[in-house]
Amino acid sequence: MWMIPGQNQSWVSEFILLGFFSDPTTNNILFTVFLLIYLSSVMGNGLIILLICLDSHLHTPMYFFLCILAMLDMGSVTTTMPQMLVHLLAHSQTISFAGCWLQMFVFSALCMIEGTFFVVMAYDRYVAICHPLRYTVILNWGICIWLAAGTCICGFLFSLLHTFFTMSLPYCGPNKVNHYFCEGPSVRSLACMHTHFIEMVDQILNVFVGLTPISLIVASYIRISMAILKIKSTQGRCKAFSTCASHLTMVSLFYGPASYIYLKPKSSYSPEQDKQTALFYNAFTALLNPVVYSLRNKDIKRAFLKVIGHSMAGWI
């Protein structure tokens, strides 16, 4: 449990993730529920990726970005939930210091990339509605790849800073993290030194990474709204707005809980509420993404029916 580098110092070599409950009966119920949520999230996002890859009609910038969003959701939910499921049934709820470092880095990176990627998707909708005739020229495949690569690089860099600041702190006990995964503020609260400066730097990063994308998304939709209002027919307005509704829904489901956790002041920190909120934007957002995009998208439905038709024909 402890590493001892010197006579007067002891450092934590592993953490204990407290999770939600310690009652075995409750844990068994939660295991079943969370396993179903996890499998549904992976299968739903995996189906979106498969359909986009198989159907050539979906090889457009919008669906290219949607495919990457599905990959990010699969990655973020897989970073946290399998370990939580194991801990619900196992007697040991430990995670090594290196494992905690890696989990924090990967989860933070994927969340930051996804948050930034919503800006890219908002820009895609802006170009499609405000400049429809130049859509394929402005968002050519080279630009799409650069936008995707740029968001990934920024996400991993900011996550590296966040994780480095948190995990470079001295941890000499206790080692019980009041969360179901290695989440930054929960781990940082165990540091055996004053963390005011680190928290201030981390808060600045959170504000920049959080408010900058939100501002860009709002700016995009202001321009989109102005363009939609210029459309004379009611049917045309409804069609234009429907193409943005799914994106706006997922932006709200992602940024609402994330802003509550990472942009609020430390004085209002509540471990139990933060765990529940983190579970929502981690697990349930990944679960709802495929539902929201598939239910409101005729192209996805058509691709799904085509795949089912080919499968049935193959069996016959």
Side-chain angles (χ1 to χ4, degrees):
M1 178 176 172
W2 310 101
M3 291 185 296
I4 303 177
Q7 290 182 337
N8 298 322
Q9 283 186 315
S10 60
W11 301 97
V12 169
S13 63
E14 62 183 22
F15 292 101
I16 298 174
L17 301 175
L18 297 181
F20 291 96
F21 298 97
S22 57
D23 177 57
T25 304
T26 306
N27 284 349
N28 289 334
I29 297 172
L30 289 177
F31 175 83
T32 304
V33 173
F34 290 152
L35 178 62
L36 290 174
I37 291 173
Y38 173 67
L39 292 177
S40 300
S41 300
V42 172
M43 292 173 63
N45 285 288
L47 180 61
I48 293 288
I49 296 168
L50 182 65
L51 293 175
I52 293 173
C53 291
L54 291 178
D55 195 327
S56 59
H57 292 96
L58 300 181
H59 293 175
T60 63
M62 184 178 80
Y63 292 108
F64 170 70
F65 296 142
L66 180 57
C67 182
I68 295 177
L69 181 66
M71 291 180 184
L72 292 171
D73 282 332
M74 286 179 65
S76 62
V77 79
T78 301
T79 304
T80 59
M81 290 202 73
Q83 183 187 57
M84 181 183 69
L85 292 170
V86 171
H87 285 176
L88 285 172
L89 296 183
H91 295 293
S92 174
Q93 295 177 305
T94 61
I95 181 173
S96 67
F97 190 91
C100 188
W101 203 107
L102 182 62
Q103 185 183 60
M104 186 184 299
F105 170 70
V106 174
F107 180 77
S108 299
L110 293 175
C111 287
M112 289 181 185
I113 292 169
E114 183 165 347
T116 310
F117 211 75
F118 280 123
V119 179
V120 175
M121 298 180 77
Y123 178 67
D124 168 76
R125 293 299 82 210
Y126 162 74
V127 175
I129 292 174
C130 298
H131 305 282
L133 299 179
R134 300 179 58 206
Y135 178 67
T136 55
V137 176
I138 296 174
L139 282 177
N140 57 66
W141 284 112
I143 294 296
C144 290
I145 292 171
W146 273 108
L147 287 172
T151 56
C152 290
I153 292 170
C154 290
F156 279 111
L157 285 176
F158 278 114
S159 177
L160 184 62
L161 288 174
H162 164 77
T163 308
F164 174 78
F165 283 136
T166 299
M167 300 306 288
S168 61
L169 294 170
Y171 295 94
C172 48
N175 67 332
K176 293 182 178 180
V177 180
N178 192 7
H179 216 288
Y180 69 93
F181 71 97
C182 283
E183 190 251 1
S186 299
V187 174
R188 193 164 54 238
S189 65
L190 302 177
C192 49
M193 66 169 285
H194 293 294
T195 59
H196 176 73
F197 175 74
I198 300 297
E199 287 172 355
M200 183 179 66
V201 172
D202 196 58
Q203 189 69 13
I204 292 172
L205 285 175
N206 288 338
V207 170
F208 178 77
V209 174
L211 293 185
T212 301
I214 291 174
S215 301
L216 293 173
I217 291 170
V218 169
S220 296
Y221 274 102
I222 289 174
R223 298 294 298 272
I224 288 171
S225 300
M226 293 171 62
I228 291 176
L229 290 174
K230 292 179 182 179
I231 300 174
K232 295 182 179 180
S233 68
T234 305
Q235 184 180 2
R237 289 181 183 178
C238 292
K239 185 178 179 181
F241 179 76
S242 66
T243 62
C244 304
S246 299
H247 178 255
L248 281 172
T249 301
M250 296 320 303
V251 167
S252 301
L253 290 175
F254 178 86
Y255 273 109
S259 299
Y260 171 79
I261 293 176
Y262 297 110
L263 297 182
K264 67 180 181 181
K266 185 185 177 183
S267 57
S268 58
Y269 175 68
S270 172
E272 295 303 323
Q273 288 184 358
D274 283 4
K275 279 192 289 187
Q276 297 167 10
T277 308
L279 181 66
F280 180 84
Y281 86 82
N282 178 210
F284 288 97
T285 302
L287 176 66
L288 292 173
N289 264 356
V291 177
V292 171
Y293 279 106
S294 60
L295 288 179
R296 301 187 60 89
N297 195 300
K298 294 180 180 179
D299 294 331
I300 295 289
K301 293 179 183 177
R302 192 181 300 115
F304 178 71
L305 294 174
K306 186 188 295 186
V307 170
I308 294 297
H310 287 318
S311 300
M312 294 295 290
W315 280 103
I316 295 173

